[in-house]
């Protein structure tokens, strides 16, 4: 049981890290848009802040309670960042942050998988 607790702790910390990164990128874009269409960039920044906040709250409350729906919903993170990486989408051109966010989110979801889907105990009669 102790291993599951540590796996879950590492998992939610990793997912909160991804959430903070998304909120950070969003804040930078909302405060200092770097493109011709400032309003669009500001809107994207605010949407990113909201996405990071929502994911962070999911990781901090229902995920830590081992609620399966939160674990399933947080699969949005690795899917989102993989699409960004494969499609060459912003922010940035180095894509290192995307690889880090994919790795952190996969670690956060796969490491504690037994906490969300425990093995069934067989009843001996």
């Amino acid at each position: 049981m102790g291993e599951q607790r540590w796996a879950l702790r590492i998992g939610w910390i990793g997912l909160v890290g991804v959430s903070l990164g998304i909120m950070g990128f969003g804040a930078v874009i909302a405060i200092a848009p770097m493109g011709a269409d400032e309003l669009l960039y500001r809107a994207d920044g605010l949407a990113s802040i909201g996405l990071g906040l929502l994911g962070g709250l999911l990781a901090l409350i229902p995920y830590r309670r081992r609620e399966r729906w939160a674990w399933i919903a947080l699969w949005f993170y690795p899917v989102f960042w993989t699409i960004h990486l494969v499609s060459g989408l912003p922010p940035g051109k180095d894509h290192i942050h995307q690889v880090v966010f994919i790795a952190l989110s996969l670690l956060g979801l796969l490491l504690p998988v037994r906490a969300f889907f425990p093995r069934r105990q067989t009843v001996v009669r």
Side-chain angles (χ1 to χ4, degrees):
M1 200 64 158
E3 288 180 28
Q4 280 186 6
R5 191 169 59 232
W6 279 105
L8 189 67
R9 179 174 290 168
I10 292 168
W12 73 259
I13 289 171
L15 291 166
V16 167
V18 173
S19 298
L20 290 172
I22 293 171
M23 288 190 324
F25 281 125
V28 168
I29 297 300
I31 292 168
M34 299 173 247
D37 193 346
E38 283 191 21
L39 291 177
L40 178 62
Y41 277 88
R42 287 187 197 277
D44 284 348
L46 290 174
S48 293
I49 292 169
L51 174 66
L53 181 62
L54 179 63
L57 289 173
L58 280 173
L60 285 171
I61 300 169
Y63 176 91
R64 287 176 62 193
R65 291 180 187 160
R66 296 181 174 115
E67 295 182 24
R68 286 184 188 171
W69 70 268
W71 183 85
I72 293 166
L74 283 164
W75 274 95
F76 176 78
Y77 276 171
V79 170
F80 174 82
W81 287 110
T82 300
I83 291 170
H84 266 248
L85 179 64
V86 170
S87 303
L89 298 174
K93 296 185 188 282
D94 59 10
H95 305 293
I96 292 170
H97 67 283
Q98 294 166 342
V99 173
V100 169
F101 288 164
I102 291 167
L104 273 176
S105 59
L106 286 174
L107 179 74
L109 293 165
L110 295 175
L111 188 64
V113 73
R114 286 287 165 226
F116 294 94
F117 300 95
R119 292 187 179 126
R120 292 187 176 208
Q121 300 292 329
T122 57
V123 177
V124 179
R125 294 181 185 206

